[in-house]
């Protein structure tokens, strides 16, 4: 009987523990009590029949209750009948209640401490959101002035309603801790006090079935418990997943509303509603710094170590698709299995009121909400890539800079690199694989670059090449983020889902990473929209076994979470490294300025563009100087140049053949015919060529003429290139020859010499021409026969055998000319034979060809000397000319011929001078301006033409100053945002 009463006391103890436990509100459900306490708590509860203990929550797996052994109760048969009662039970009950106070006090203290510790742990797990205030622009903090948030708050669901959806984890933990303490301290007491037989008497027959359900000897009961536990775990995990997805949808809806509100506010700012001056976006300032650094030559041990997100992966692994999901637009060219990314593309993502894209070197904006603009943008990117790729290559290291703005975009700078390949296929350059590796390494070797490693989940991880490359560049994984794409295909194709988990955790290869993500980038249809892909991705992960089985965590899936994580890592890296980079450029600037002061103390620091502008002004001034050349100078150089060009034709083809005639009538007829033919076919063209060459010579003279102390030889190559290109582009007026032909024909037809002065000028012109020809003939004869006796004695020179033969032939021919001074211009056959036999008699063997060549020079000299003597006789022949040489043996028709030539030269020079000064100089000036404009737009041409240490030093100094200024401005803006 005393055992029965002690069981009743234990029952009351358990009831009091359940009803009055510290930190618990109300009573615990019957299903969450221990088996023994549940049986005592309610004897006839209908749920006790053949019911197993309810499954613990996921948080209980970390509790000591998991391994708590149940008390093995020994069953005894129930005995019915009268049992005697003892009447001193109040004393025993009072004793037990006195012990109970210690139990209650200890449980309360232990439970409170455990609850406080658990609350502190959960509180530490929550991130400090104050570090993320910089993500939101300043304008958001002022949005309450323009938007009524009270209405929006009323429209949102109540926090209490939302709280009802989440289980009270604090209560569960407190209850578990309390039960742990109770059963740890009281388990021994209960097992000693309560006997199995007395307990059955107390419970009666209705509790027999429930108690038997706890029989430890039943093997089938253990199996039932395991099955029930597994089902309950699956049910709780599914409920937890649905709750997470539900909250995620609520957050996405709030973010979408926030995005629309931000877009509205930004549009109002664009329209000028706010009078404050909008500052340049922080990410735009950072992108400008990177653009300047990309053009900077890494000299003086200063390298670009500023962070950017480098996107690398195998070909067709989904790099471009991940980028497009982050940028929220299909902006890149697409192809089925073909290499589309042929050069690095730097994409700067920033926030703006409209979803637009624009290139760094262009002002055109592409509206990313319109399919026409998206197609035009993809086509432009493809054209720029093909333009960057040189002939004979497949990829190029030159970077295409693209800015993408839109509401809700995460601010960061990403660089999309060509996909890594394992084999060079047909149509590719032989060095394509090595070039791609070198480009990827050049970007990844930056110690502050964030490597976004893209792995195709639909193929075997062992076939990946990029993971080995990333492991080499970042062996510790301190700046690598691993992304597994095409997870939907991987889940279908992979027989073991745990393999995907091994890939995500990086256990299949030695690569380490900061974080691991799994994304879905569409169904493989290039026409899918970003919204459709996002909905498909959310639907897939909502039903995926990867989340239900806890292989992946909720924050490791979707491109949205990936974008947030990459942006967070990017800005963290920027804050840690930007000031150090600024300090290194300050030191570089000091070194460059010191070097300039030591080498060029009196010169201004002009970079290549400034030097080009200075040279451009000098060249234009020199072109203008052409218009200041006097007409007399133009006509003199034109007349002299034209005569030098046509003198040979006049002497050899007109004068000499005409002079061989017997009378003046035949002479004049021959001259007129030949002059007419010459004027119609050759003379105008020759005159234009002479004028064009004269213009070139004068232009070159002004361009290359030293300017004294002001002359800077650094411009010489540029001026020469401008001169050559301008002359190459310049073409004389096509109608100039036709008009010039008429003028020249009229000038040559005039034979009337008006005064003695013109007659003397003609004789002087004729003498100069004949003297020049005679001198040329003497030189030709000297080269033919060798040095004379004077030079042989004075300069110790000797004649060759051939020259001796020519000398003997010359002497023989001169003897023949002395016998007949009026000999015709050509030798007869018998005369050639006579000369040859005479030479052979003296032991000199000659052939007829040598005799004819020697005769040509000998007769030419004889004729020119005769013509000069005749010219002297004609000095006094002007009087006879006026009388048309009547009653006079003197005939000076050759003087009239040279007067006609001289007059034609003067008139032609005058005509060409007018055309030069009125038309061609202006056209040349226009060509020079066009050439300079083309050179100004061609950076490579300027680098090639403006070279030297001074230019390079000024270029480096300018770029370092620009970089430092932009970095300082960016750092200041970064501190202000903090």
């Amino acid at each position: 009987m005393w055992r029965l009463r002690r069981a009743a006391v234990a029952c009351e103890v358990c009831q009091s523990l359940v009803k009055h436990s510290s930190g618990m509100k109300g009573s615990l459900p019957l299903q969450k009590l221990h088996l023994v306490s549940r049986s005592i708590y309610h004897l006839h509860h209908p749920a006790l029949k053949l019911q197993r203990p309810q499954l613990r929550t996921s948080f209980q797996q970390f509790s000591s209750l998991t391994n708590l052994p149940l008390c093995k109760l020994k069953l005894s048969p129930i005995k019915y009948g009268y049992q005697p009662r003892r009447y001193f039970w109040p004393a025993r009950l009072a004793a037990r209640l006195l012990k109970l106070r210690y139990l209650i006090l200890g449980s309360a203290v232990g439970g409170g401490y455990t609850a406080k510790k658990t609350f502190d742990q959960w509180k530490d797990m929550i991130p400090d959101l104050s570090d993320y205030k910089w993500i939101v622009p300043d304008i958001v903090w002022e949005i309450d002035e323009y938007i009524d948030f009270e209405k929006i708050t009323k429209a949102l669901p109540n926090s209490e309603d939302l709280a009802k959806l989440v289980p009270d984890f604090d209560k569960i933990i407190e209850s578990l801790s309390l039960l742990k303490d109770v059963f740890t301290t009281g388990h021994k007491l209960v097992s000693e006090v309560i006997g199995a037989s007395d307990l059955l008497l107390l419970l009666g027959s209705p509790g027999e079935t429930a108690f038997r359900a706890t029989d430890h000897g039943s093997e089938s009961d253990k199996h039932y418990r395991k099955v029930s536990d597994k089902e309950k775990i699956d049910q709780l995990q599914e409920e937890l997943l649905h709750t997470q997805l539900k909250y995620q949808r609520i957050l996405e809806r709030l973010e979408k509303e926030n995005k629309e509100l931000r877009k509205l506010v930004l549009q109002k700012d664009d329209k000028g509603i706010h009078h404050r001056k909008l500052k340049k976006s922080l990410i735009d300032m950072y992108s400008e710094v990177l653009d300047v650094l990309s053009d900077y030559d890494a000299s003086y041990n200063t390298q670009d170590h500023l962070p950017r997100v480098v996107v690398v992966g195998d070909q067709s692994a989904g790099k471009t698709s991940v980028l497009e999901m982050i940028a929220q637009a299909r902006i890149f060219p697409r192809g089925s299995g073909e290499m589309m990314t042929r050069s690095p593309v730097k994409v700067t993502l920033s926030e703006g009121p409209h979803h637009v894209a624009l290139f760094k070197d262009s002002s055109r904006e592409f509206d990313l909400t319109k399919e026409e603009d998206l197609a035009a943008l993809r086509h432009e990117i493809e054209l720029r890539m093909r333009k960057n790729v040189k002939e004979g290559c497949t990829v190029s290291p030159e970077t295409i800079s693209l800015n993408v703005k839109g509401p809700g975009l995460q601010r960061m700078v990403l660089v999309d690199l060509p996909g890594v390949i394992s084999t060079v296929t047909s149509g590719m350059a032989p060095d394509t694989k090595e070039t791609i590796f070198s480009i990827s390494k050049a970007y990844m070797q930056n110690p502050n670059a964030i490597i976004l490693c893209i792995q195709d989940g639909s193929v075997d991880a062992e076939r990946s090449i990029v993971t080995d490359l990333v492991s080499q560049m970042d062996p510790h994984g301190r700046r690598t983020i691993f992304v597994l794409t095409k997870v939907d295909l991987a889940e279908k194709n992979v027989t073991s889902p745990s393999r995907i988990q091994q890939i995500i955790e990086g256990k299949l290869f030695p690569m380490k990473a900061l974080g691991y993500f799994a994304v879905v980038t569409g169904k493989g249809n290039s026409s899918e929209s970003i919204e459709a892909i996002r909905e498909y991705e959310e639907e897939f992960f909502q039903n995926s076994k990867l989340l239900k089985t806890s292989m992946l965590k909720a924050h490791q899936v979707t491109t949205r979470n990936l974008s947030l994580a990459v942006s967070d890592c990017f800005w963290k890296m920027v804050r840690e490294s930007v000031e150090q980079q600024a300090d290194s450029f300050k030191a570089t600037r000091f070194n460059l300025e010191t070097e300039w002061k030591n080498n060029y103390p009196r010169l201004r620091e002009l970079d290549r563009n400034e030097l080009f502008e200075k040279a451009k002004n000098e060249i234009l001034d020199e072109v203008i100087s052409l218009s200041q050349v006097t007409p007399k100078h133009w006509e003199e150089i034109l007349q002299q140049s034209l005569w030098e060009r046509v003198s040979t034709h006049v002497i050899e083809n007109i004068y000499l053949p005409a002079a061989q005639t017997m009378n003046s009538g035949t002479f004049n007829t021959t001259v007129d015919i030949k002059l007419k033919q010459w004027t119609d076919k050759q003379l105008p063209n020759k005159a234009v060529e002479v004028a064009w060459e004269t213009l070139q010579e004068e232009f070159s003279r002004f361009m290359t003429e030293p300017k004294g102390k002001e002359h800077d030889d650094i411009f010489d190559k540029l001026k020469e290139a401008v001169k050559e290109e301008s002359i190459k582009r310049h073409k004389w007026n096509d109608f100039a020859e036709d008009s010039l032909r008429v003028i020249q024909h009229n000038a040559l037809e005039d034979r009337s010499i008006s005064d003695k002065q013109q007659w003397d000028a003609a004789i002087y012109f004729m003498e100069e021409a004949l003297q020049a020809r005679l001198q040329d003939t003497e030189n030709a004869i000297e080269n033919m026969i060798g040095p004379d006796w004077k030079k042989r004695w004075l300069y110790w020179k000797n004649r060759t055998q051939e020259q001796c033969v020519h000398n003997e032939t010359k002497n023989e021919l001169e003897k023949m000319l002395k016998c007949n001074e009026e000999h015709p211009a050509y030798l007869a056959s018998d005369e050639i034979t006579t000369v040859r036999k005479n030479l052979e008699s003296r032991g000199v063997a000659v052939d007829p060809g040598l005799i004819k060549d020697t005769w040509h020079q000998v007769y030419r000299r004889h004729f020119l000397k005769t013509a000069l003597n005749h010219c002297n006789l004609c000095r006094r022949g002007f009087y006879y000319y006026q009388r048309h040489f009547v009653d006079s043996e003197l005939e000076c028709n050759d003087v009239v011929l040279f007067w006609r030539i001289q007059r034609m030269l003067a008139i032609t020079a005058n005509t060409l001078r007018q055309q030069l000064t009125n038309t061609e100089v202006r056209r040349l000036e226009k060509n020079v301006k066009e050439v300079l404009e083309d050179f100004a737009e061609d950076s490579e041409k300027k680098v090639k033409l403006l070279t030297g240490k001074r230019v390079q030093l000024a270029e480096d100094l300018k770029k370092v100053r620009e970089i430092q200024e932009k970095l300082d401005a960016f750092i200041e803006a970064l501190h202000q945002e903090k």
Side-chain angles (χ1 to χ4, degrees):
M1 190 66 184
W2 64 273
R3 292 182 177 178
L4 181 62
R5 287 170 182 160
R6 292 180 66 179
V9 172
C11 179
E12 292 179 3
V13 170
C14 293
Q15 290 180 5
S16 62
L17 288 177
V18 172
K19 291 181 181 180
H20 305 289
S21 297
S22 61
M24 298 177 61
K25 298 178 181 179
S27 61
L28 283 172
L30 183 62
Q31 291 81 355
K32 297 189 177 182
L33 294 178
H34 192 266
L35 176 62
V36 178
S37 300
R38 192 182 349 162
S39 301
I40 299 173
Y41 184 72
H42 200 289
L43 300 179
H44 303 282
H45 196 281
L48 295 177
K49 295 181 179 181
L50 296 176
Q51 184 170 351
R52 305 298 299 167
Q54 291 295 325
L55 181 66
R56 301 174 181 87
T57 61
S58 60
F59 295 92
Q60 288 175 312
Q61 59 184 337
F62 301 103
S63 174
S64 61
L65 289 178
T66 305
N67 300 319
L68 182 64
L70 296 176
C71 179
K72 297 182 180 180
L73 304 177
K74 182 177 181 182
L75 299 178
S76 60
I78 302 174
K79 297 180 180 180
Y80 301 94
Y82 174 75
Q83 297 291 335
R85 298 178 181 271
R86 297 181 182 181
Y87 296 98
F88 52 86
W89 59 269
R92 290 186 176 276
L93 179 61
R96 295 303 177 187
L97 289 176
L98 290 175
K99 292 183 179 180
L100 182 61
R101 61 180 179 179
Y102 298 107
L103 182 62
I104 294 175
L105 179 61
S107 300
V109 174
Y113 174 74
T114 304
K116 181 178 181 303
K117 185 177 180 181
T118 305
F119 175 75
D120 293 338
Q121 290 178 355
W122 279 66
K123 184 178 179 182
D124 294 338
M125 290 170 62
I126 300 177
D128 188 4
L129 298 179
S130 61
D131 295 339
Y132 297 87
K133 291 178 65 178
W134 56 269
I135 296 178
V136 183
D138 297 337
I139 190 172
V140 175
W141 308 116
E142 304 174 3
I143 197 172
D144 56 347
E145 300 179 5
Y146 312 100
I147 299 173
D148 190 357
F149 284 99
E150 294 182 0
K151 295 181 179 180
I152 298 176
T153 306
K154 292 178 181 179
L156 296 177
N158 193 357
S159 59
E160 296 179 357
D161 298 336
L162 294 177
K164 292 178 181 179
L165 300 175
V166 185
D168 194 346
F169 297 117
D170 293 336
K171 291 182 179 179
I172 295 173
I173 293 174
E174 291 175 2
S175 301
L176 293 176
S177 301
L178 178 60
L179 289 176
K180 175 183 175 182
D181 296 335
V182 169
F183 286 108
T184 301
T185 56
H187 177 66
K188 185 176 182 180
L189 177 62
V190 173
S191 61
E192 292 176 354
V193 175
I194 303 175
S197 59
D198 295 335
L199 182 60
L200 287 175
L201 288 172
L202 179 63
L203 296 175
S205 60
E208 182 180 359
T209 306
F211 189 75
R212 285 180 181 177
T214 61
D215 187 4
H216 67 280
S218 177
E219 296 296 334
S220 61
D221 188 43
K222 292 181 180 180
H223 178 70
Y224 177 79
R225 181 189 302 173
K226 293 180 180 179
V227 174
S228 178
D229 290 347
K230 183 177 180 182
E231 291 177 355
K232 203 62 180 177
I233 290 174
D234 294 341
Q235 182 180 359
L236 287 176
Q237 287 181 346
E238 188 172 356
E239 290 178 359
L240 181 62
L241 178 62
H242 281 293
T243 304
Q244 290 177 345
L245 293 176
K246 184 175 181 180
Y247 274 105
Q248 187 171 0
R249 284 194 292 269
I250 294 174
L251 288 175
E252 289 178 355
R253 180 167 57 84
L254 293 175
E255 287 179 354
K256 187 175 182 180
E257 293 177 359
N258 184 26
K259 177 179 176 181
E260 295 296 330
L261 293 174
R262 291 172 63 82
K263 181 177 180 180
L264 180 63
V265 173
L266 292 173
Q267 287 176 346
K268 289 181 179 180
D269 283 336
D270 286 345
K271 294 178 181 178
I273 294 179
H274 296 291
H275 296 287
R276 66 182 180 87
K277 184 178 180 181
L278 292 176
K279 296 181 179 179
K280 187 177 292 186
S281 172
L282 194 64
I283 189 65
D284 291 337
M285 297 172 65
Y286 185 76
S287 180
E288 289 180 0
V289 175
L290 295 182
D291 289 336
V292 177
L293 281 173
S294 64
D295 300 331
Y296 176 65
D297 187 15
S299 304
Y300 304 97
N301 298 323
T302 304
Q303 298 179 357
D304 174 15
H305 287 168
L306 287 177
R308 68 263 284 163
V309 182
V310 180
V311 186
V312 296
D314 298 327
Q315 185 178 353
S316 302
K319 301 187 288 57
T320 301
S321 300
V322 172
L323 262 178
E324 288 179 338
M325 291 294 292
I326 296 175
Q328 300 181 12
R330 310 300 292 269
I331 59 177
F332 291 102
R334 313 189 69 81
S336 56
E338 181 184 358
M339 178 182 289
M340 300 304 298
T341 306
R342 296 180 177 269
S343 65
V345 182
K346 182 176 74 70
V347 182
T348 303
L349 301 180
S350 59
E351 197 169 26
H354 307 288
H355 202 186
V356 296
L358 66 158
F359 292 97
K360 179 188 72 172
D361 55 353
S362 175
S363 59
R364 178 186 177 184
E365 286 190 351
F366 297 88
D367 190 349
L368 302 183
T369 60
K370 298 179 180 179
E371 188 58 36
E372 297 82 5
D373 283 16
L374 278 172
L377 176 61
R378 290 192 290 265
H379 181 66
E380 180 67 21
I381 292 176
E382 186 175 1
L383 289 179
R384 288 174 179 256
M385 286 183 180
R386 296 188 181 276
K387 182 180 178 181
N388 289 344
V389 176
K390 298 180 180 179
E391 186 176 357
C393 300
T394 306
V395 294
S396 170
E398 298 183 19
T399 305
I400 299 174
S401 183
L402 179 68
N403 293 341
V404 178
K405 298 182 180 180
L409 292 182
Q410 299 297 323
R411 304 179 299 172
M412 66 183 99
V413 177
L414 304 104
V415 182
D416 186 20
L417 300 180
V420 179
I421 61 175
S422 59
T423 305
V424 177
T425 59
S426 61
M428 293 184 179
D431 62 341
T432 302
K433 180 180 177 180
E434 291 74 15
T435 304
I436 294 176
F437 268 82
S438 63
I439 294 174
S440 302
K441 289 181 179 179
Y443 277 91
M444 289 191 292
Q445 69 184 1
N446 179 359
N448 295 321
I450 302 168
I451 303 174
L452 196 61
C453 181
I454 308 297
Q455 170 68 39
D456 189 350
S458 63
V459 299
D460 296 335
E462 292 80 3
R463 295 166 55 187
S464 175
I465 309 172
V466 71
T467 51
D468 293 337
L469 180 62
V470 173
S471 299
Q472 295 175 8
M473 305 309 296
D474 185 23
H476 302 291
R478 296 171 181 170
R479 51 190 180 91
T480 300
I481 297 177
F482 180 81
V483 181
L484 187 67
T485 61
K486 306 178 184 179
V487 184
D488 52 343
L489 301 178
E491 190 178 36
K492 293 179 182 178
N493 300 333
V494 177
T495 57
S496 176
S498 61
R499 184 175 176 84
I500 299 178
Q501 185 180 12
Q502 292 177 353
I503 296 175
I504 289 292
E505 295 176 356
K507 295 180 179 179
L508 289 183
F509 31 77
M511 191 190 74
K512 300 178 182 179
L514 279 174
Y516 300 88
F517 290 86
V519 298
V520 175
T521 56
K523 301 178 182 179
N525 187 4
S526 60
S527 61
E528 287 181 293
S529 65
I530 297 297
E531 288 295 329
I533 296 175
R534 184 178 289 115
E535 292 176 0
Y536 171 71
E537 184 182 39
E538 293 177 358
E539 181 182 356
F540 167 76
F541 283 115
Q542 183 177 357
N543 302 321
S544 176
K545 296 179 181 179
L546 300 175
L547 283 182
K548 291 182 178 180
T549 57
S550 299
M551 291 186 184
L552 296 177
K553 298 179 182 178
H555 70 273
Q556 288 183 297
V557 298
T558 71
T559 52
R560 175 183 170 275
N561 291 334
L562 170 65
S563 177
L564 292 172
V566 173
S567 177
D568 185 18
C569 185
F570 169 76
W571 283 107
K572 180 181 178 181
M573 194 77 75
V574 168
R575 289 188 177 89
E576 292 175 354
S577 60
V578 67
E579 293 188 1
Q580 180 181 0
Q581 191 77 5
D583 293 339
S584 65
F585 276 101
K586 288 180 182 178
T588 303
R589 175 179 177 177
F590 175 79
N591 296 336
L592 292 175
E593 288 177 345
T594 303
E595 185 176 358
W596 182 273
K597 291 178 182 178
N598 294 333
N599 294 321
Y600 312 102
R602 297 185 179 181
L603 294 177
R604 287 193 302 124
E605 301 164 359
L606 299 179
D607 61 4
R608 187 171 279 108
N609 292 329
E610 293 171 339
L611 287 172
F612 182 83
E613 290 299 324
K614 183 179 179 181
K616 178 181 177 181
N617 294 331
E618 289 187 9
I619 293 172
L620 292 177
D621 292 341
E622 291 163 358
V623 174
I624 293 175
S625 301
L626 284 174
S627 60
Q628 299 177 357
V629 178
T630 61
K632 181 179 179 181
H633 179 74
W634 277 121
E635 292 182 10
E636 287 179 355
I637 57 178
L638 285 170
Q639 187 171 350
Q640 182 180 356
S641 301
L642 183 59
W643 171 243
E644 291 176 356
R645 181 68 61 85
V646 303
S647 59
T648 302
H649 181 82
V650 170
I651 299 296
E652 302 294 337
N653 298 333
I654 298 176
Y655 175 62
L656 289 178
Q660 303 301 319
T661 58
M662 302 303 297
N663 52 57
S664 60
T666 308
F667 178 87
N668 292 330
T669 302
T670 304
V671 167
D672 291 341
I673 294 173
K674 291 186 176 295
L675 287 177
K676 181 67 168 58
Q677 294 174 350
W678 183 44
T679 305
D680 292 339
K681 296 180 180 180
Q682 300 181 10
L683 183 57
N685 182 263
K686 294 287 185 181
V688 171
E689 289 180 0
V690 168
W692 179 217
E693 291 175 1
T694 303
L695 180 60
Q696 295 180 34
E697 291 174 359
E698 289 297 306
F699 180 53
S700 301
R701 182 173 64 86
F702 281 105
M703 293 280 286
T704 58
E705 187 178 27
K707 305 297 187 299
K709 295 182 179 180
E710 298 179 357
H711 178 69
D712 196 345
D713 56 359
I714 204 170
F715 300 141
D716 291 345
K717 291 178 65 176
L718 176 61
K719 290 182 178 180
E720 185 67 22
V722 171
K723 182 197 73 173
E724 292 178 358
E725 185 65 22
S726 301
I727 291 172
K728 184 179 179 181
R729 295 185 184 185
H730 185 81
K731 293 183 179 179
W732 204 272
N733 191 354
D734 297 334
F735 301 101
E737 291 187 11
D738 296 334
S739 60
L740 193 60
R741 182 179 292 106
V742 175
I743 295 173
Q744 290 173 340
H745 184 72
N746 294 333
L748 290 174
E749 284 186 348
D750 188 7
R751 296 187 182 89
S752 58
I753 303 176
S754 59
D755 54 12
K756 182 70 166 58
Q757 184 178 1
Q758 293 181 3
W759 180 268
D760 293 339
I763 290 177
Y764 180 74
F765 176 65
M766 179 179 174
E767 284 182 345
E768 282 189 342
L770 295 178
Q771 287 286 355
R773 291 296 159 179
L774 180 59
Q775 185 63 39
D776 295 340
T777 305
E778 293 286 355
N779 294 335
I781 292 174
E782 184 178 355
N783 292 332
M784 183 185 296
I785 65 175
D788 56 3
W789 65 270
K790 185 177 181 181
K791 291 183 178 179
R792 291 199 301 271
W793 281 97
L794 292 178
Y795 302 107
W796 292 82
K797 292 182 178 181
N798 294 320
R799 291 173 177 170
T800 62
Q801 183 64 30
E802 185 180 359
Q803 289 175 343
C804 292
V805 173
H806 278 290
N807 184 50
E808 293 294 334
T809 306
K810 178 187 74 74
N811 295 334
E812 188 67 24
L813 292 174
E814 285 179 346
K815 291 178 183 179
M816 187 171 56
L817 276 177
K818 287 181 180 179
C819 296
N820 184 12
E821 292 184 355
E822 295 181 358
H823 194 284
Y826 301 99
L827 287 174
S829 300
D830 55 345
E831 291 177 334
I832 294 174
T833 303
T834 302
V835 172
R836 183 169 60 83
K837 289 182 178 181
N838 293 336
L839 292 174
E840 288 177 353
S841 64
R842 296 200 298 267
V844 180
V846 295
D847 58 350
L850 186 144
I851 296 174
K852 289 180 181 180
D853 292 341
T854 308
W855 168 256
H856 177 73
Q857 298 297 335
V858 171
Y859 180 80
R860 183 184 181 86
R861 182 176 62 177
H862 170 72
F863 173 79
L864 291 174
K865 288 181 177 180
T866 304
L868 283 172
N869 294 330
H870 180 71
C871 183
N872 290 328
L873 294 175
C874 289
R875 289 183 182 277
R876 297 172 293 176
F878 181 69
Y879 171 74
Y880 300 102
Y881 166 75
Q882 289 178 329
R883 297 180 60 183
H884 304 288
F885 302 103
V886 177
D887 298 333
S888 175
E889 296 179 357
L890 183 63
E891 293 182 357
C892 297
N893 293 316
D894 49 356
V895 177
V896 176
L897 170 62
F898 278 92
W899 178 83
R900 294 166 68 182
I901 298 295
Q902 185 183 31
R903 186 169 180 273
M904 182 273 298
L905 293 175
I907 293 175
T908 302
N910 181 268
T911 304
L912 293 175
R913 186 266 306 168
Q914 293 179 9
Q915 192 171 358
L916 280 171
T917 55
N918 296 335
T919 306
E920 301 303 330
V921 171
R922 295 180 181 177
R923 291 179 61 199
L924 179 62
E925 182 179 356
K926 181 180 178 182
N927 290 338
V928 171
K929 290 181 179 179
E930 292 177 354
V931 171
L932 289 172
E933 290 176 359
D934 294 342
F935 283 6
E937 297 176 357
D938 192 349
S939 300
E940 294 182 359
K941 183 75 72 174
K942 288 191 288 187
V943 171
K944 181 179 179 181
L945 298 177
L946 292 174
T947 58
K949 179 181 178 181
R950 169 181 151 199
V951 181
Q952 191 61 43
L953 187 58
E955 280 287 306
D956 292 340
L957 190 53
K958 176 194 173 184
K959 289 181 180 178
V960 169
R961 283 175 177 169
E962 183 180 2
I963 293 170
Q964 183 189 349
E965 291 173 359
K966 290 183 179 296
L967 277 175
D968 292 342
F970 173 75
I971 293 172
E972 182 179 357
L974 193 63
H975 290 325
Q976 290 178 357
E977 185 170 286
K978 282 186 179 180

